[in-house]
């Protein structure tokens, strides 16, 4: 009973801040500038590619400018590859089972790369999310143009992350990130972890396709969330945070998109596109503010970012959008938790 109560307290406890506002400002700026440029150009439907590139700014938040630059370059490579593959699937009209197969395999590959270079945030989640989202929306521009937008946004994020160096100008020759050597034991652990990703993402995607969901990639992304935890309790907590945080975020989305006096769209008729784009930018700041401290609260704000961005790209019935997001998130997170519990790593394979 005492153990259960301890887990329950950990679920809602928010650790103290550690300069989180600085990282949040960097990420918010990284998202805002490219999004506003596209909005000014009259192409809010392309913000999705800019946002996924801008997520590069979420990596290396606590490192020195020099090491952050390298860390973010590795993250940018993952995000750019994900957007490239997802956009290619979109322009090639490869959906359903093809998407599930490709995303599952690349989830495993992303897990191996993430473990090898020790990406923080852990795991290939944002790459999985970007691939599925870009594959599931129609490409309104040529393939290379979408990739270029993502690359430009990722580059701008790296510039923002490195800008503070010009004030201190400290550069350590030969400085490297503190990453343990990839020993035989760590390779085995990474292999098992990659297999978890393939199994969880594949099973969640299959469930989405078999049930006729229009957004099976949401289930696949949610299935990956529990796997990013450092140990069993944190993995279970992340799965629960994903469900609860998403449901609370869906309430915000419903307020924004459903007609009524609570919606900001009610007070700015004819300005739906501008309002949604500004909300995407605004919600990114609290997302990053809580990302390292409490995953559930981060999801409360990240859920509107993803859904409002999707609505900008492919406007759809808000009721269907909210319902499918809720169902797919629940199914995916439950599958991810099940894989975490059923597929155990050897005892020597502890993950940092």
């Amino acid at each position: 009973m005492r153990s259960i109560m301890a887990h329950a307290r950990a679920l809602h406890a928010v650790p103290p801040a550690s300069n989180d506002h600085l990282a949040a400002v960097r990420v918010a700026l990284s998202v805002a500038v490219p999004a506003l440029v596209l909005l000014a150009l009259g192409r809010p439907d392309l913000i999705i590619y800019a946002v996924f590139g801008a997520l590069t700014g979420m990596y290396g938040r606590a490192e020195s400018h020099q090491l952050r630059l390298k860390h973010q370059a590795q993250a940018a490579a993952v995000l750019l590859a994900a957007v490239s593959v997802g956009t290619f699937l979109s322009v090639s009209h490869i959906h359903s089972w093809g998407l599930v197969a490709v995303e599952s395999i690349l989830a495993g590959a992303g897990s191996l790369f993430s473990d090898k270079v020790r990406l923080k945030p852990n795991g290939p989640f944002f790459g999985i999310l970007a691939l599925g989202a870009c594959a599931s929306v129609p490409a309104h521009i040529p393939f290379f143009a979408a990739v270029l937008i993502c690359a430009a946004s990722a580059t701008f994020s790296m510039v923002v992350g490195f800008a503070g160096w010009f004030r201190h100008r400290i550069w350590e020759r030969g400085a490297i990130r503190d990453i343990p050597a990839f020993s035989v034991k760590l390779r085995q652990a990474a292999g098992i972890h990659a297999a978890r990703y393939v199994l969880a993402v594949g099973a969640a995607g299959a469930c989405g396709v078999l049930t006729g969901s229009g957004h099976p990639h949401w289930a696949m992304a949610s299935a990956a969330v529990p796997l990013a935890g450092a140990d069993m309790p944190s993995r279970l907590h992340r799965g629960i945070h994903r469900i609860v945080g998403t449901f609370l975020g869906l309430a915000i989305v419903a307020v924004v998109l459903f007609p009524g006096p609570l919606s900001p769209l009610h007070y700015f008729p004819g300005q739906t596109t501008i309002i949604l784009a500004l909300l995407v930018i605004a919600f990114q700041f609290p997302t990053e503010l809580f990302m390292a401290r409490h995953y559930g609260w981060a999801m409360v704000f990240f859920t509107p970012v993803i859904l409002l961005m999707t609505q900008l790209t492919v406007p759809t019935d808000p009721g269907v959008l909210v319902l499918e997001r809720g169902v797919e998130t629940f199914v995916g997170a439950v599958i991810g938790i099940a894989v975490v519990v059923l597929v155990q790593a050897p005892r020597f394979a502890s993950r940092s």
Side-chain angles (χ1 to χ4, degrees), residues 6-330:
H7 283 303
R9 286 193 296 270
L11 280 172
H12 61 75
V14 180
S18 178
N19 286 328
D20 298 287
H21 65 286
L22 296 178
V25 168
R26 288 197 299 265
V27 176
L29 182 61
S30 299
V31 170
V33 171
L36 290 174
V37 168
L38 290 170
L39 187 61
L41 293 174
R43 296 305 305 265
D45 54 314
L46 305 182
I47 286 177
I48 185 172
Y49 306 112
V51 169
F52 283 127
L55 294 183
T56 298
M58 300 182 76
Y59 293 82
R61 58 186 288 163
E63 294 178 330
S64 66
H65 295 97
Q66 180 181 354
L67 298 182
R68 182 187 299 145
L69 184 65
K70 180 177 180 180
H71 193 162
Q72 290 187 344
Q74 294 167 333
V78 171
L79 291 166
L80 186 59
V83 169
S84 300
V85 172
T87 306
F88 176 79
L89 294 178
S90 175
V91 299
S92 303
H93 304 291
I94 298 174
H95 302 295
S96 300
W97 293 111
L99 171 59
V100 172
V102 171
E103 189 158 352
S104 301
I105 293 170
L106 292 185
S111 174
L112 290 173
F113 179 77
S114 175
D115 282 354
K116 183 174 178 59
V117 304
R118 283 298 194 267
L119 288 182
K120 299 287 183 181
N122 293 334
F125 168 74
F126 291 108
I128 293 171
L129 180 64
L131 192 162
C134 292
S136 301
V137 299
H140 300 305
I141 53 173
F143 166 78
F144 288 109
V147 174
L148 182 61
I149 290 172
C150 177
S153 182
T155 301
F156 178 71
S157 294
M158 293 168 63
V159 170
V160 171
F162 189 70
W165 178 84
F166 291 96
R167 184 176 61 181
H168 303 287
R169 295 182 179 273
I170 297 174
W171 189 274
E172 276 185 62
R173 182 173 298 177
I176 58 174
R177 296 180 60 221
D178 185 17
I179 300 175
F182 218 45
S183 63
V184 173
K185 291 182 178 181
L186 287 178
R187 284 196 190 96
Q188 283 185 299
I192 292 171
H193 202 53
R196 288 196 194 103
Y197 273 101
V198 174
L199 177 59
V201 172
C207 285
V209 173
L210 291 173
T211 57
S213 168
H215 302 89
H217 63 285
W218 287 339
M220 290 189 276
S222 293
V225 168
L227 302 173
D231 51 31
M232 182 64 75
S234 66
R235 290 168 185 165
L236 296 177
H237 292 170
R238 282 177 67 86
I240 296 171
H241 282 176
R242 177 71 179 190
I243 295 170
V244 176
T246 296
F247 284 4
L248 292 174
L250 289 176
I252 296 176
V253 173
V255 167
V256 172
L257 295 182
F258 288 10
L262 294 179
S263 172
L265 304 180
H266 176 77
Y267 300 98
F268 300 95
Q271 303 297 323
T272 297
T273 296
I274 295 175
I275 298 303
L276 293 184
L278 293 177
L279 288 174
V280 168
I281 295 169
F283 281 125
Q284 190 61 58
F285 177 82
T287 295
E288 182 61 16
L289 192 64
F290 287 102
M291 186 61 74
R293 298 167 60 198
H294 195 282
Y295 188 76
W297 274 112
M299 285 303 101
V300 172
F301 302 105
F302 193 54
T303 298
V305 169
I306 297 301
L307 291 196
L308 298 182
M309 186 170 65
T310 301
Q311 192 72 352
L312 281 170
T313 308
V314 188
T316 189
D317 183 330
V320 174
L321 193 71
V322 169
L323 177 62
E324 289 199 345
R325 176 69 172 193
V327 171
E328 295 300 324
T329 294
F330 181 80

